[in-house]
Amino acid sequence: HLHGAIAPIQADVNTSHYVHTGMQREGPRQLDPWQRAVTAVCAWTERRAYRSARRVVAVSDGVAGTLRRTGVSARGRLRVIYNGVDPDEFRPRLPTDSRPLRDGLDLPASAFLLLFVGDAVSARKNLDLALLTLARLDPRFRLVVIGENRSGPYREIADQLGVGERTYFLGPRRDVAECLRDAD
């Protein structure tokens, strides 16, 4: 059992969480030369890995659709098995629970908190779309970004869009479930 193209061997089952071939063919065109090169190599190796597997498992309908559209996996060998979620860890906040993320950011009670969790350096997670959307929303909407962001362009993009003061770049965190409970 492999996850993508992590080993140069044939797998009975290969699980796909992300499709580099889809990024190469359908993704944003503003990738820098390094990202384009890495994506091309990853796309080549994953096509080989998925095509040689007896069964390919996609973790979502979106991933499965990309595997089909790009011809990486044949329909008969492809199944979707959704990622599981621990309902005790990822549960809604109770009225009596503290709100550490909101309190730590000193947000007004009227703030509507949106949360983005993912790669905030490259274009592959579409943080630019979240920022563009925030710019169209009224000022009570705030966006918290959790994920690596030190070398990414998104702080500057947020400032250019006029939402820099409503966007909080927190970097990587281990308390994502807790942060999710504070989001609206």
Side-chain angles (χ1 to χ4, degrees):
H1 183 184
L2 294 176
H3 292 266
I6 61 170
I9 60 174
Q10 183 176 358
D12 289 327
V13 177
N14 197 320
T15 299
S16 179
H17 299 264
Y18 177 79
V19 187
H20 288 91
T21 302
M23 171 60 93
Q24 188 180 38
R25 295 183 186 175
E26 303 168 355
R29 296 293 168 229
Q30 68 268 23
L31 296 176
D32 64 44
W34 172 250
Q35 288 173 313
R36 276 195 302 277
V38 168
T39 299
V41 169
C42 290
W44 181 81
T45 58
E46 81 179 3
R47 278 193 305 272
R48 200 167 146 240
Y50 292 144
R51 286 179 179 160
S52 68
R54 288 187 192 180
R55 176 83 59 200
V56 176
V57 175
V59 299
S60 71
D61 293 327
V63 170
T66 303
L67 288 166
R68 285 186 197 108
R69 278 193 311 282
T70 57
V72 172
S73 182
R75 186 178 306 267
R77 293 184 305 115
L78 180 62
R79 297 288 183 268
V80 176
I81 301 175
Y82 303 103
N83 285 325
V85 175
D86 180 343
D88 293 325
E89 183 177 12
F90 293 94
R91 63 169 175 77
R93 187 164 305 288
L94 301 172
T96 56
D97 289 344
S98 64
R99 300 182 69 95
L101 180 62
R102 295 178 79 90
D103 294 344
L105 297 174
D106 199 26
L107 294 177
S110 63
F112 191 97
L113 188 59
L114 306 170
L115 187 66
F116 175 96
V117 180
D119 176 7
V121 176
S122 72
R124 70 183 190 151
K125 295 293 183 180
N126 296 314
L127 180 52
D128 56 336
L129 180 60
L131 292 168
L132 285 165
T133 302
L134 183 64
R136 299 180 74 183
L137 298 172
D138 72 60
R140 73 185 179 98
F141 286 86
R142 311 298 171 92
L143 177 64
V144 169
V145 178
I146 296 176
E148 182 56 55
N149 63 65
R150 283 179 283 159
S151 62
Y154 297 104
R155 287 178 191 263
E156 186 177 324
I157 292 171
D159 289 338
Q160 290 169 356
L161 292 170
V163 296
E165 291 182 9
R166 295 192 290 141
T167 307
Y168 307 88
F169 291 90
L170 304 185
R173 293 183 63 127
R174 294 187 182 273
D175 63 341
V176 172
E178 189 69 28
C179 293
L180 283 167
R181 281 192 276 285
D182 272 2
D184 294 300

